[in-house]
Amino acid sequence: MKTRHPFLRKKVEVPKGKEMDVQNIRNWLVHQPHLPKLTDEHIIMFLHSCYYSGERTKETIDNYYTVRAQCMDLFGGRDWSKLKELWKTMYVMAPLPKTTPEGYKILLYRLADTDPSKLNFQDCLVNFFAYNDVRVSEDGLAEGYIVVFDMKGCSLGHLARVSTCMSLVRKFMVYIQDCHPVRLKGVHVINTASFIDSCLALVKPFMQSGLIQLIHLHSDLTTLEKFFPLELLPTDYGGMAPETLSLHEDHIQLVSKNYKEWLKDSEKITADLKKRVTKPKNQIIELEGSFKTLEID
């Protein structure tokens, strides 16, 4: 089906010398009847995220559309009125305006409402994945991403609610490690709570060593400076970027203007599991599968 704008909103040309890589993937897609029709922009994004490894790209494309087909509880329900309400009341998700010296983009996440009784983990993931789809489309061929999770206000009550949704935790971890078409360079948890070890114990069974190596814990911001200049943070974190809530609101306006129909359209762009001729390597329904190896620099 045709979406309201391409996979990458800002036009991206095939990088010089990579034309054959794109053609090789296109030739492979001819023999994958279960996968949707992909533009060159789709193919370039997956190749870029996999550092132009042909085999890794094929696996990631297959995983991406298969998992989204299997997990409509997380990749469906993208009604803009509901997403907008949750973004305004429950979650703060702010892309920082400047990149690190290496060119990595920084995404900041935190809870807006810290009442654990209001946390719906499925809604949280639906919003998280919708937000990340927008960033992939908006940012194009990013050199990499650094994710900052602020735990301020998180409590054992939040952990208790998440611990009852382990199937969702598993789906989240499979998608992030096996499907998400970005170069993940670091995950930084700031303002860590005393129960952070319990949080990690919850997710570690679903993590492979590559992702574990990317996770860094910070009880305050002083140790974060080792990884990128703190001036890149919003002013409410002691940096020089606009305030977090201002960046968050700007992002809501961006989505409202350019992505609210696109997000709904994207629900339908998945694998047709009935047309698959081989068994998927990553079977969410059976909770089986191997994870993609992350690139560690």
Side-chain angles (χ1 to χ4, degrees):
M1 64 163 292
K2 183 177 180 180
T3 55
R4 298 172 194 266
H5 65 69
F7 190 55
L8 305 179
R9 189 167 72 89
K10 300 171 184 176
K11 186 172 177 58
V12 173
E13 302 290 344
V14 177
K16 187 175 181 180
K18 301 300 182 182
E19 296 85 357
M20 186 58 68
D21 296 274
V22 173
Q23 188 57 50
N24 287 339
I25 298 299
R26 189 158 295 291
N27 293 341
W28 169 77
L29 285 167
V30 171
H31 305 287
Q32 311 302 318
H34 63 294
L35 295 177
K37 294 185 182 299
L38 302 187
T39 66
D40 283 351
E41 288 184 323
H42 286 85
I43 294 172
I44 294 166
M45 171 56 73
F46 284 107
L47 279 166
H48 177 79
S49 72
C50 295
Y51 298 84
Y52 294 91
S53 165
E55 290 307 308
R56 284 182 60 194
T57 299
K58 293 173 185 177
E59 289 182 9
T60 304
I61 290 174
D62 195 1
N63 289 334
Y64 179 91
Y65 292 105
T66 298
V67 167
R68 289 168 85 98
Q70 293 173 336
C71 302
M72 287 304 294
D73 54 338
L74 300 182
F75 295 97
R78 291 180 165 186
D79 179 75
W80 174 237
S81 60
K82 181 180 180 180
L83 287 175
K84 184 177 181 180
E85 179 63 22
L86 289 170
W87 285 3
K88 282 184 170 291
T89 60
M90 287 299 299
Y91 314 111
V92 175
M93 298 178 284
L96 304 193
K98 292 186 177 181
T99 62
T100 70
E102 299 87 355
Y104 305 154
K105 295 181 178 294
I106 304 173
L107 305 178
L108 173 64
Y109 303 90
R110 72 182 188 213
L111 290 176
D113 189 329
T114 57
D115 180 351
S117 69
K118 295 180 181 179
L119 178 68
N120 181 309
F121 191 53
Q122 181 175 332
D123 281 348
C124 178
L125 294 184
V126 169
N127 279 266
F128 180 86
F129 287 135
Y131 172 85
N132 278 278
D133 280 359
V134 169
R135 290 322 315 167
V136 169
S137 178
E138 191 69 15
D139 295 337
L141 305 184
E143 282 300 310
Y145 282 91
I146 291 176
V147 177
V148 178
F149 288 102
D150 186 353
M151 284 191 72
K152 187 174 182 180
C154 292
S155 67
L156 283 170
H158 293 99
L159 179 62
R161 291 182 74 86
V162 173
S163 67
T164 65
C165 306
M166 293 310 296
S167 65
L168 295 180
V169 173
R170 169 70 182 200
K171 291 175 183 180
F172 172 78
M173 297 306 300
V174 168
Y175 182 82
I176 291 300
Q177 295 181 102
D178 231 4
C179 313
H180 198 37
V182 303
R183 298 176 175 182
L184 185 60
K185 295 295 183 177
V187 178
H188 297 273
V189 184
I190 63 174
N191 295 317
T192 51
S194 58
F195 56 90
I196 185 62
D197 289 341
S198 298
C199 293
L200 291 177
L202 196 69
V203 298
K204 270 190 175 180
F206 309 129
M207 296 168 63
Q208 49 97 310
S209 60
L211 182 58
I212 293 173
Q213 291 178 43
L214 293 178
I215 296 176
H216 305 277
L217 308 179
H218 309 272
S219 57
D220 56 46
L221 295 179
T222 56
T223 54
L224 190 59
E225 192 168 18
K226 173 183 174 182
F227 300 93
F228 61 83
L230 297 185
E231 65 185 40
L232 300 179
L233 293 171
T235 54
D236 45 313
Y237 287 88
M240 299 178 64
E243 287 189 350
T244 304
L245 291 181
S246 175
L247 295 172
H248 175 64
E249 182 61 34
D250 287 347
H251 195 266
I252 293 175
Q253 295 304 316
L254 170 75
V255 177
S256 182
K257 179 180 178 182
N258 295 317
Y259 287 97
K260 57 184 179 181
E261 293 90 0
W262 181 87
L263 281 169
K264 191 64 179 175
D265 289 346
S266 67
E267 293 182 22
K268 306 167 189 175
I269 306 178
T270 64
D272 185 340
L273 302 181
K274 294 179 181 179
K275 294 182 179 179
R276 175 181 282 280
V277 295
T278 59
K279 184 177 179 180
K281 291 184 178 180
N282 214 330
Q283 179 59 265
I284 289 290
I285 295 173
E286 297 175 1
L287 299 186
E288 296 175 351
S290 58
F291 292 129
K292 178 176 74 174
T293 301
L294 292 170
E295 186 80 12
I296 307 297
D297 291 339

